[in-house]
Amino acid sequence: MNGRSMNGELFALDRHGDSDSEAGLTDFAVNVRPGPPRFVLDALTARLPDLARYPTAGDDARAVDAVARAHRRTPGEILLLSGAAEGFELLPRLGARHAALIQPSFTEPELALRSAGIPITQVVLDRPWRLDADGIARLIPADADLVVIGNPTNPTSVLHPADVIEALRAPGRLVVVDEAFADLTLDPVSGEREPQSVASRRWPDVIVLRSITKTFGLAGLRAGYLLADPAIIDRLSMGRRPWALGTLSLVALAECVGPRGERYCRKVAAEVAEQRSDLIAGLRELGIEPATTPEASFVLIEVDDGLGVKRRLFEQGIAVRSAANFVGLGPGFLRLAVRDRPTTARLIESLRAGG
């Protein structure tokens, strides 16, 4: 197994799924879909001759307009990001005095806020890690003026109801919702996509972070966006560097959030739901239940010897994500990305053989 996964960094907050994988492995560790799709590649290829020039205002405007149309927002409510993680880096500019992080969840918000010296309360939910409106007053400190929640949550794959997000709002408080994986969520009954997203809710105290890199296989490009009240956008933008996004990132945003990207997401969301069912069925044949009901493009499991299973799978050429460094979890938890049926079958057979 690679050295980074074998030492104390296994529990470090800044370790992500790419640390659990490497070239040549069948990758269940990184929550990025195979891609990019052809229409995105074609759009990027067409702009390669322009890389000698700085990104243009037109490229920026096209990306902003695409996001605005997708979420029924105004351009003043949009901040384009070099990956959604950049949005977390910008949060300290809001001057929070006390942040509450709903855990387990993505580790980058904690890293960004701690580096700025902002006091943090870890709101660790009990299994199955679903926040309910009745528990908010009991769990969230009354003086928390910044609350961060993932929806769906990484790594648990829990999707919180939109009314729970709304219930987090309080006078003097900002709520940050990480929707990096929301575009592939589906209502299991109606088939509605993004059933619990609040990206189009124009609440003045709610900030939504989105990413295109997961669904469109663009993790190496870095592109995302933030939705918020114009006054918040102004505060986050102050002093930001020129050309924050490169030409290709702007082109990718316009394509992925535009009509072709919307159609692609609908198709992939249906595929993910079916593939996730295949994965769960295969795990259950081995007596492994999901740690909670998954609703995103990954499944969390708990096994007796998580690190041992991870190591044995690695030796068989399969990478899975240890959840040891997530607040509220531990080394027995593993996160599995949803993959196609043949790839999933290989994982199940490796687990059956002693992985």
Side-chain angles (χ1 to χ4, degrees):
M1 187 174 298
N2 64 50
R4 287 182 297 171
S5 298
M6 288 295 289
N7 58 28
E9 292 184 12
L10 181 68
F11 299 91
L13 284 177
D14 61 353
R15 185 181 65 81
H16 301 299
D18 61 318
S19 297
D20 288 329
S21 187
E22 61 184 45
L25 296 179
T26 300
D27 187 5
F28 285 86
V30 181
N31 288 328
V32 175
R33 301 295 297 170
R38 173 50 56 186
F39 73 91
V40 174
L41 285 175
D42 288 345
L44 295 175
T45 300
R47 296 301 302 275
L48 290 179
D50 295 334
L51 293 184
R53 298 186 295 167
Y54 289 98
T56 69
D59 289 325
D60 188 88
R62 279 187 287 274
V64 168
D65 288 346
V67 174
R69 287 192 298 271
H71 298 295
R72 300 187 298 278
R73 295 274 194 156
T74 66
E77 296 173 289
I78 297 160
L79 182 64
L80 303 182
L81 301 171
S82 179
E86 187 195 8
F88 297 122
E89 296 173 4
L90 296 175
L91 291 182
R93 298 184 178 200
L94 298 174
R97 297 182 300 277
H98 180 191
L101 306 183
I102 297 175
Q103 303 283 14
S105 194
F106 188 46
T107 57
E108 285 299 319
E110 180 174 354
L111 286 167
L113 295 168
R114 286 200 186 282
S115 68
I118 296 172
I120 288 173
T121 293
Q122 305 282 20
V123 181
V124 183
L125 303 180
D126 293 331
R127 194 167 179 171
W129 309 295
R130 296 181 186 278
L131 186 64
D132 62 82
D134 293 337
I136 285 173
R138 174 173 52 86
L139 295 171
I140 309 297
D143 67 341
D145 56 355
L146 184 71
V147 176
V148 182
I149 185 170
N151 207 37
T153 301
N154 175 20
T156 62
S157 202
V158 165
L159 186 62
H160 303 285
D163 61 0
V164 169
I165 305 298
E166 184 174 15
L168 288 169
R169 301 169 64 199
R173 173 185 293 169
L174 294 174
V175 178
V176 178
V177 188
D178 175 9
E179 291 193 357
F181 296 98
D183 56 359
L184 294 186
T185 56
L186 285 179
D187 185 290
V189 177
S190 69
E192 174 193 3
R193 198 166 65 83
E194 301 189 19
Q196 305 303 335
S197 172
V198 297
S200 298
R201 312 278 183 103
R202 300 177 69 183
W203 293 326
D205 51 357
V206 174
I207 299 166
V208 178
L209 290 166
R210 304 276 298 209
S211 171
I212 63 167
T213 60
K214 313 295 187 182
T215 296
F216 292 88
L218 292 168
L221 192 59
R222 313 309 304 138
Y225 53 93
L226 180 151
L227 306 167
D229 185 83
I232 293 174
I233 298 294
D234 288 344
R235 292 166 67 187
L236 294 174
S237 301
M238 191 175 300
R240 198 172 179 218
R241 67 186 186 276
W243 307 292
L245 275 74
T247 298
L248 297 185
S249 295
L250 295 172
V251 169
L253 277 165
E255 288 294 325
C256 295
V257 185
R260 284 189 292 186
E262 174 72 12
R263 292 192 293 272
Y264 179 80
C265 280
R266 283 199 296 269
K267 172 178 175 289
V268 175
E271 291 174 353
V272 165
E274 183 176 333
Q275 293 165 357
R276 186 175 61 227
S277 295
D278 290 341
L279 173 58
I280 292 170
L283 291 169
R284 284 176 171 160
E285 288 178 3
L286 304 178
I288 302 172
E289 284 289 326
T292 187
T293 302
E295 298 186 72
S297 55
F298 45 91
V299 175
L300 184 70
I301 63 172
E302 184 181 18
V303 292
D304 290 336
D305 180 18
L307 298 184
V309 170
K310 171 181 162 58
R311 182 182 65 254
R312 290 189 290 275
L313 287 172
F314 187 93
E315 291 167 352
Q316 297 179 66
I318 295 176
V320 298
R321 169 71 152 100
S322 169
N325 67 326
F326 288 97
V327 174
L329 299 180
F333 289 94
L334 300 172
R335 189 193 69 194
L336 309 174
V338 172
R339 299 296 188 221
D340 62 38
R341 182 169 291 173
T343 307
T344 295
R346 183 181 175 206
L347 170 67
I348 299 303
E349 286 309 308
S350 294
L351 287 168
R352 194 190 312 275

